Amino acid sequence: MKTKLNTNIIGFGAIAVDDLLFLLDFPQSNTKTEVKRRVRFAGGLAGTALVAASRLGAKTAYFGILGENVLSEFTINEFIIENVDTSLCINKEGAKPIHSTIIVDQSSGGRTILFSLDGFQSPHINEISLESIKSCELIFIDSYVLDIFPHVLQLAHTSSIPVIADIESDRIKDFPEILKAIDHLILNIDIAGKIVNRKSPAEILMALDSEERICSVITDGTNGCWYKEKDKPIFHMPAFKVDTVDTTGCGDVFHGAYAAALIRSESIPTAVLQASAAAAIKTTQPGGRKGIPYLDNLLNFCSQNKHIHPREIN
């Protein structure tokens, strides 16, 4: 199985169908609450990251397992609309994307995700060959497919392909060799703190450093993010101020925008800035993907907010 020669990014990991329920505020236990609106979107860590990268000019492909059912068909159709190549997808009976119900608190923009992994499968390592990935420029992988993580990392590094990882589980600390081999590691501050048993962003980034690491990024919502390139100081990137509607998928968009910036040969500081901006823009619309900007919109937003940029911390 072979990917197209012009594919920039291949993604492995979570794809989801998200049913969003919009409430005026989060319900208390043992109460009845009116659902103001119900909408279905495609989502997932890898899926949304690939869509974000695609909208921002990268040629992307998803490598995963899907079946012949409503949820799989919805996922594939959404990928086709967003120009994400599905030719690497493997069809298996009973396979489905993750199915999530997301409660959106309209009073705060926060969300609670209830998800089912029933039917979600990752490819077997025998189905992922060097030939199938070697023509891309970047690999994205998330922690929903930890079982194939070592194999994908080995194949990628055999072909000198850097790997961007989105880790949402502290289980990764049980695989220290995998953790240190990730080229670009982007984590939210809660998970990162649990992985290295540190609290401050600076301490976390220093603990995550490794010989193999190109850059580590720690995100913290409205507090912005911190990042450290190899052999360089730690920088803080403030959050962009926007009118938040829904934070679903912000982290995924951050990863995809960061990856797309690297494909456009942007520097890491610019990649972090643009990823932060893309995530902020996304929050102005409901769902994990609706608010993802296209490149012109992103660059215009950054141009209008030049006062917000990374600053070195002491």
Side-chain angles (χ1 to χ4, degrees):
M1 189 178 296
K2 213 183 258 192
T3 186
K4 294 180 179 178
L5 292 176
N6 63 350
T7 296
N8 304 128
I9 304 168
I10 295 176
F12 297 85
I15 47 173
V17 175
D18 297 335
D19 290 326
L20 274 68
L21 308 181
F22 291 85
L23 313 180
L24 289 180
D25 49 41
F26 195 82
Q28 298 295 316
S29 178
N30 296 319
T31 62
K32 291 183 179 180
T33 302
E34 180 184 359
V35 176
K36 292 296 182 180
R37 190 155 61 98
R38 186 190 302 263
V39 188
R40 171 166 285 186
F41 293 111
L45 280 67
T48 299
L50 291 172
V51 168
S54 177
R55 288 196 188 183
L56 294 170
K59 294 180 174 64
T60 65
Y62 178 68
F63 198 140
I65 309 292
L66 287 168
E68 296 181 6
N69 48 70
V70 172
L71 296 178
S72 294
E73 290 170 4
F74 180 81
T75 298
I76 290 173
N77 288 337
E78 291 296 304
F79 273 150
I80 291 171
I81 291 169
E82 297 288 355
N83 296 312
V84 176
D85 189 345
T86 60
S87 63
L88 290 172
C89 287
I90 300 167
N91 186 287
K92 289 187 180 179
E93 185 177 355
K96 294 183 290 188
I98 298 165
H99 190 195
S100 302
T101 299
I102 302 175
I103 301 172
V104 181
D105 180 353
Q106 292 181 294
S107 66
S108 67
R111 82 273 195 238
T112 299
I113 302 175
L114 312 173
F115 65 93
S116 170
L117 295 174
D118 178 43
F120 178 73
Q121 304 177 35
S122 62
H124 190 273
I125 59 172
N126 293 337
E127 297 168 320
I128 308 168
S129 67
L130 182 62
E131 184 69 18
S132 65
I133 70 165
K134 69 179 183 180
S135 60
C136 76
E137 300 172 57
L138 199 61
I139 294 288
F140 173 90
I141 188 166
D142 67 47
S143 53
Y144 277 83
V145 290
L146 274 178
D147 54 334
I148 64 170
F149 228 112
H151 181 69
V152 172
L153 272 171
Q154 181 182 14
L155 291 182
H157 290 164
T158 296
S159 294
S160 299
I161 301 169
V163 174
I164 294 179
D166 183 356
I167 307 298
E168 286 198 348
S169 169
D170 60 1
R171 282 183 58 214
I172 194 70
K173 66 185 178 183
D174 297 329
F175 306 92
E177 294 303 313
I178 295 176
L179 184 63
K180 73 178 185 180
I182 296 166
D183 303 279
H184 298 268
L185 179 63
I186 305 173
L187 303 165
N188 75 57
I189 193 167
D190 294 330
I191 290 295
K194 291 178 181 177
I195 290 171
V196 297
N197 196 27
R198 301 287 192 278
K199 290 185 178 181
S200 76
E203 291 175 328
I204 292 170
L205 287 171
M206 293 303 295
L208 286 172
D209 224 359
S210 72
E211 283 298 316
E212 295 90 342
R213 186 90 70 242
I214 296 172
C215 184
S216 297
V217 184
I218 303 301
T219 63
D220 189 18
T222 56
N223 292 319
C225 67
W226 292 261
Y227 67 93
K228 185 183 185 306
E229 295 181 68
K230 187 175 182 178
D231 300 325
K232 291 187 178 181
I234 296 170
F235 282 78
H236 176 239
M237 176 69 213
F240 292 89
K241 297 186 184 304
V242 294
D243 294 327
T244 298
V245 173
D246 178 14
T247 59
T248 304
C250 284
D252 310 331
V253 172
F254 189 107
H255 283 81
Y258 180 96
L262 296 184
I263 293 299
R264 297 195 305 275
S265 299
E266 301 284 7
S267 67
I268 285 178
T270 298
V272 173
L273 185 148
Q274 291 183 354
S276 300
I281 296 168
K282 182 256 126 339
T283 69
T284 63
Q285 298 290 331
R289 297 182 182 176
K290 183 177 180 182
I292 300 172
Y294 291 90
L295 186 56
D296 288 348
N297 306 117
L298 176 64
L299 296 180
N300 184 55
F301 179 86
C302 292
S303 178
Q304 293 174 357
N305 291 274
K306 288 183 178 179
H307 60 290
I308 301 178
H309 55 82
R311 302 177 189 275
E312 183 178 347
I313 67 171
N314 296 323

